[in-house]
Amino acid sequence: MKDVHNSEGLAHDLDGSLYDLGVRASMRVFAAGDDTGALEAAAALRAASQAIDRLRAQGAGGRGLSAGALDVLARLSAAGEEEQLSAAGEEKGLSIGELARAAGVSSRNVTGLVDTLERDGLARRVQDRHDRRSVRVRITVAGQDWLAAFRQPTQRAMSAVFQGFTEADLARLRHLCLRLVENQHRIEEYLGAGRPDRPAP
């Protein structure tokens, strides 16, 4: 298709859809004549993710937290609010495994993030009241204060980066991204089922 607009390496297809000139050129060579739609979409998703991560890192960087640590802290905060609203009123926190599953990363990765949060006084490990071999992670008052200070700048940044997006656009984007996540989970389950070192589900 012919380019009808070009700005900072981006162009529009005739239907108005944005694409990256350099990515399309390289993917055409890589695909050797096959369709490049999925390859270009993957590259665009990666570029968008990196752009948001850079924005978040700039906001959190001055406060010493990576995007991953910020995600863990936010999950701990949400868990703390749920505990306060529960009838039992017992503060439990989240286990490393629960945090890993929620974030879709390895337990080892989460352990490192929790180490960082604990070092900075934003979270703390506590012994599980029902299983003394296990530990839970809870957000601290300093962690809640950190999130409160970070909330407004983050909301402003997200409003800026998603400028021009309608509510329907955002819902559609979220839906499509989560469909990719679902597909990836299915691929991992399929590949894991055929490995002799993994137990059958």
Side-chain angles (χ1 to χ4, degrees), residues 86-114:
S86 68
E90 182 182 3
E91 296 186 30
K92 299 177 182 177
L94 294 172
S95 70
I96 295 292
E98 288 168 338
L99 283 168
R101 285 189 293 275
V105 298
S106 70
S107 293
R108 180 180 297 180
N109 190 358
V110 168
T111 296
L113 296 173
V114 170

Side-chain angles (χ1 to χ4, degrees), residues 47-102:
S49 176
Q50 290 170 347
I52 291 174
D53 280 348
R54 283 196 303 272
L55 186 65
R56 291 176 66 185
Q58 287 172 358
R63 297 172 174 85
L65 283 191
S66 67
L70 175 58
D71 285 341
V72 169
L73 192 63
R75 291 179 191 279
L76 292 174
S77 176
E81 289 181 9
E82 289 175 4
E83 288 164 4
Q84 289 176 7
L85 294 173
S86 68
E90 182 182 3
E91 296 186 30
K92 299 177 182 177
L94 294 172
S95 70
I96 295 292
E98 288 168 338
L99 283 168
R101 285 189 293 275

Side-chain angles (χ1 to χ4, degrees), residues 31-50:
D34 289 338
D35 183 64
T36 63
L39 294 170
E40 288 187 59
L45 182 63
R46 185 169 57 251
S49 176
Q50 290 170 347

Side-chain angles (χ1 to χ4, degrees), residues 112-184:
L113 296 173
V114 170
D115 288 344
T116 298
L117 294 173
E118 194 168 32
R119 180 198 67 209
D120 293 344
L122 305 178
R124 66 187 179 99
R125 289 176 170 89
V126 295
Q127 197 167 49
D128 192 316
R129 296 181 182 181
H130 305 292
D131 182 358
R132 296 208 170 264
R133 297 169 300 176
S134 302
V135 296
R136 316 286 291 181
V137 185
R138 288 167 48 185
I139 191 168
T140 63
V141 173
Q144 293 287 15
D145 291 344
W146 193 101
L147 282 178
F150 187 62
R151 185 174 294 115
Q152 197 170 41
T154 299
Q155 290 172 333
R156 286 197 301 265
M158 290 300 104
S159 294
V161 80
F162 287 107
Q163 184 178 2
F165 283 63
T166 66
E167 289 297 319
D169 290 336
L170 293 173
R172 183 64 177 164
L173 178 62
R174 182 193 67 222
H175 171 73
L176 293 173
C177 289
L178 292 177
R179 280 182 59 190
L180 288 175
V181 172
E182 283 189 328
N183 287 346
Q184 175 62 19

Side-chain angles (χ1 to χ4, degrees), residues 19-42:
Y19 71 94
D20 186 295
L21 285 162
V23 168
R24 177 164 293 179
S26 61
M27 290 302 103
R28 280 176 173 165
V29 173
F30 175 77
D34 289 338
D35 183 64
T36 63
L39 294 170
E40 288 187 59

